[in-house]
């Protein structure tokens, strides 16, 4: 939907949108929300860190999650630093683990209370193509202008919808995002915003181009 919005104002209820598309002949086979597997995961700011007394690799952190008091979370991530903004799964949250949805609850790690988990990009279902830094081994570091307590989905771009449209053989004009945008514009009565088509001329195509081979042996090797 975010890609489609580059060309047409398609802001409306997703179910209404899919119904309107289907009634027009562009049948929506299915749709889904990108971050529907996430719940109760917010932006957290690392206020302090200290070594776990019974572990050589764990840290005890205090995290600002936009509430009256910070929460304590034990993490094994080695890239945790004071002042960082990181995805924070609070008590009774859900994230991904090895591609499956799992629930995070408070408990104790080697005797120290931990009220959630600090997340990597993988645990949010992200990669570097979707959000830079997501494939770093360790915590996903968020932008410095992030706000503690904010739902993580819009921060990392997981608040979008994806829909699958069945295109019939007589509508090849709809086999592109711009083609679908044109259809949506007609259905919703919204203006279509065509992409910029301007360009700069870098050479005159009518002018001859000269080529000089500086190394004949390299050129022959290239040809063979």
């Amino acid at each position: 939907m975010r890609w489609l919005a580059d060309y047409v104002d398609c802001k409306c209820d997703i179910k209404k949108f899919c119904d309107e598309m289907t009634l027009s002949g562009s049948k929506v086979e299915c749709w889904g929300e990108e971050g529907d597997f996430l719940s109760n995961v917010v932006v957290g700011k690392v206020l302090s860190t200290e070594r776990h007394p019974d572990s050589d690799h764990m840290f005890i952190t205090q995290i600002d999650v936009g509430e009256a008091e910070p929460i304590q979370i034990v993490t094994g991530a080695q890239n945790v630093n004071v002042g960082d903004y990181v995805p924070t799964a609070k008590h009774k949250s859900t994230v991904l683990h090895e591609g499956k949805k799992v629930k995070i609850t408070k408990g104790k790690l080697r005797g120290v209370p931990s009220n959630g988990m600090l997340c990597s990009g993988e645990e949010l279902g992200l990669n570097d193509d979707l959000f830079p830094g997501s494939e770093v081994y360790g915590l996903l570091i968020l932008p410095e202008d992030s706000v503690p307590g904010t739902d993580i989905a819009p921060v990392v771009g997981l608040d979008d919808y994806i829909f699958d449209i069945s295109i019939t053989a007589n509508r090849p004009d709809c086999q592109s995002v711009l083609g679908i945008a044109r259809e949506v514009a007609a259905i919703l009565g919204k203006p279509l915003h065509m992409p910029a088509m301007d360009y700069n001329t870098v050479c005159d195509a009518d002018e001859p181009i000269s080529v000089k081979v500086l190394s004949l042996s390299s050129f022959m090797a290239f040809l063979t």
Side-chain angles (χ1 to χ4, degrees):
M1 288 291 280
R2 188 179 294 116
W3 191 5
L4 194 62
D6 289 342
Y7 307 108
V8 61
D9 179 9
C10 52
K11 292 179 181 177
C12 66
D13 178 76
I14 183 64
K15 293 182 179 180
K16 180 178 183 294
F17 173 85
C18 292
D19 288 343
E20 293 284 350
M21 291 292 290
T22 298
L23 288 173
S24 75
S26 299
K27 183 181 178 182
V28 177
E29 296 285 356
C30 60
W31 62 272
E33 189 174 1
E34 277 191 312
D36 61 350
F37 55 88
L38 292 174
S39 67
N40 208 22
V41 182
V42 301
V43 173
K45 182 179 181 180
V46 182
L47 300 179
S48 67
T49 66
E50 61 177 291
R51 287 284 184 181
H52 192 297
D54 194 30
S55 172
D56 60 356
H57 71 280
M58 288 185 178
F59 295 91
I60 303 170
T61 66
Q62 300 297 322
I63 308 295
D64 175 10
V65 290
E67 299 175 357
E69 298 291 334
I71 62 174
Q72 179 172 288
I73 293 180
V74 178
T75 180
Q78 300 303 297
N79 65 328
V80 59
N81 294 290
V82 173
D84 284 346
Y85 294 86
V86 295
T88 305
K90 301 194 293 183
H91 175 53
K92 293 184 178 179
S93 61
T94 55
V95 297
L96 287 183
H97 177 66
E98 295 181 350
K100 296 181 180 179
K101 185 177 177 179
V102 296
K103 189 172 183 179
I104 303 299
T105 58
K106 63 182 179 181
K108 290 186 177 181
L109 291 177
R110 296 196 180 182
V112 176
S114 181
N115 298 298
M117 182 180 73
L118 305 183
C119 303
S120 66
E122 182 181 3
E123 287 150 347
L124 302 181
L126 297 172
N127 56 37
D128 274 349
D129 291 335
L130 297 173
F131 194 87
S134 296
E135 295 180 10
V136 171
Y137 182 73
L139 302 180
L140 174 60
I141 307 302
L142 302 172
E144 294 182 356
D145 59 353
S146 301
V147 179
T150 304
D151 180 61
I152 198 64
V155 175
V156 296
L158 289 177
D159 58 336
D160 200 6
Y161 292 98
I162 296 177
F163 51 94
D164 185 6
I165 299 178
S166 177
I167 306 299
T168 53
N170 65 322
R171 294 302 306 271
D173 57 301
C174 288
Q175 293 184 340
S176 67
V177 173
L178 183 57
I180 292 296
R182 185 181 291 108
E183 192 78 357
V184 172
I187 294 168
L188 301 182
K190 302 287 186 178
L192 177 68
H193 307 297
M194 291 293 291
M197 302 294 289
D198 56 329
Y199 62 92
N200 296 321
T201 302
V202 296
C203 66
D204 189 343
D206 294 329
E207 289 293 325
I209 298 174
S210 61
V211 177
K212 183 178 182 181
V213 178
L214 299 179
S215 175
L216 183 58
S217 58
S218 296
F219 180 65
M220 295 303 295
F222 169 76
L223 292 178
T224 58

